[in-house]
Amino acid sequence: MAQNAAIYKVELSVSDMDRHYYDTHKLTVAKHPSETDERLMVRIVAFALNAHEHLEMTKGLSTDDEPDIWQKSLSGELDVWVALGLPSEKLMRQSCGKADKVVVYPYGGRTAEMWWDKIKNSSSRFENLQVTSFSEKDTTELAKLASRTMKLQVNIQDGEVMVSVGDSIVYVTPLKWKTAA
């Protein structure tokens, strides 16, 4: 019998001093049975880094032709496409053709670095592509914060991210491997 997704209730307060964005999002996040706590938390931090009133989680792992997070305009066009992990060059090319801005968040330490070494030259032609990596140490610490009901506070300043749940705080330093034009 197939396992069902676990439902996580997240109250995400974002204070992004870099973009002057301050809001609280009440998210219901479905965690796919094959998804790890690490990936779930990376997805939530990626949401915070791109927070906008029209940003939303998608079906994610259960749908191949959708990103993990997207932002659509009022007329239905894709403004922002956010993907996690190590997408293929083909998927990145297709994503860059569908959305105004594509943000990829690779993670996983050396595996992510090897992926980027392989793909960075061919990705340089995509002006609307941004690639921002998370260190394995940071994502491992984030995974420890995961629980079925979370009140997260995410503060972003000078590119640094502080994620807190209760008394637990994790500092994340995203590394920009490629910046969108």
Side-chain angles (χ1 to χ4, degrees), residues 9-13 41 44-45 141-155 162-171:
K9 295 287 189 179
V10 180
E11 185 177 304
L12 176 65
S13 296
M41 294 305 292
I44 293 169
V45 170
E141 289 301 310
L142 280 173
K144 295 175 185 175
L145 299 178
S147 69
R148 296 290 287 267
T149 305
M150 292 183 273
K151 281 189 173 192
L152 278 105
Q153 174 66 47
V154 176
N155 297 324
M162 182 186 83
V163 181
S164 60
V165 177
D167 295 337
S168 301
I169 298 175
V170 174
Y171 293 94

Side-chain angles (χ1 to χ4, degrees), residues 6-79:
I7 302 301
Y8 284 67
K9 295 287 189 179
V10 180
E11 185 177 304
L12 176 65
S13 296
V14 179
S15 297
D16 188 339
M17 278 68 87
D18 295 348
R19 295 187 305 134
H20 304 290
Y21 180 88
Y22 311 92
D23 206 352
T24 298
H25 299 265
K26 294 197 183 293
L27 305 172
T28 300
V29 183
K31 180 182 167 196
H32 191 274
S34 67
E35 187 173 23
T36 63
D37 285 346
E38 177 183 37
R39 187 177 193 287
L40 173 77
M41 294 305 292
V42 167
R43 194 160 41 123
I44 293 169
V45 170
F47 188 97
L49 288 168
N50 295 280
H52 184 276
E53 65 179 321
H54 299 295
L55 194 70
E56 53 188 65
M57 299 278 186
T58 65
K59 294 176 185 163
L61 286 176
S62 62
T63 308
D64 291 336
D65 60 344
E66 287 184 1
D68 295 285
I69 302 166
W70 65 19
Q71 178 184 320
K72 290 185 174 183
S73 69
L74 294 176
S75 57
E77 288 92 20
L78 273 169
D79 290 334

Side-chain angles (χ1 to χ4, degrees), residues 125-176:
R125 68 179 189 236
F126 305 121
E127 292 184 5
N128 60 336
L129 175 66
Q130 174 183 313
V131 180
T132 302
S133 171
F134 295 118
S135 76
E136 195 167 19
K137 176 187 164 290
D138 289 351
T139 59
T140 300
E141 289 301 310
L142 280 173
K144 295 175 185 175
L145 299 178
S147 69
R148 296 290 287 267
T149 305
M150 292 183 273
K151 281 189 173 192
L152 278 105
Q153 174 66 47
V154 176
N155 297 324
I156 304 163
Q157 184 174 14
D158 298 328
E160 297 289 319
V161 181
M162 182 186 83
V163 181
S164 60
V165 177
D167 295 337
S168 301
I169 298 175
V170 174
Y171 293 94
V172 178
T173 304
L175 300 171
K176 290 215 175 171

Side-chain angles (χ1 to χ4, degrees), residues 112-131:
E113 291 169 10
M114 290 181 344
W115 167 83
W116 181 239
D117 286 342
K118 179 181 165 193
I119 208 163
K120 70 179 161 188
N121 290 335
S122 61
S123 72
S124 63
R125 68 179 189 236
F126 305 121
E127 292 184 5
N128 60 336
L129 175 66
Q130 174 183 313
V131 180

Side-chain angles (χ1 to χ4, degrees), residues 46 50 55 67-70 80-84 101-105:
N50 295 280
L55 194 70
D68 295 285
I69 302 166
W70 65 19
V80 181
W81 177 292
V82 179
L84 307 179
K101 180 179 179 183
V102 176
V103 186
V104 176
Y105 291 100

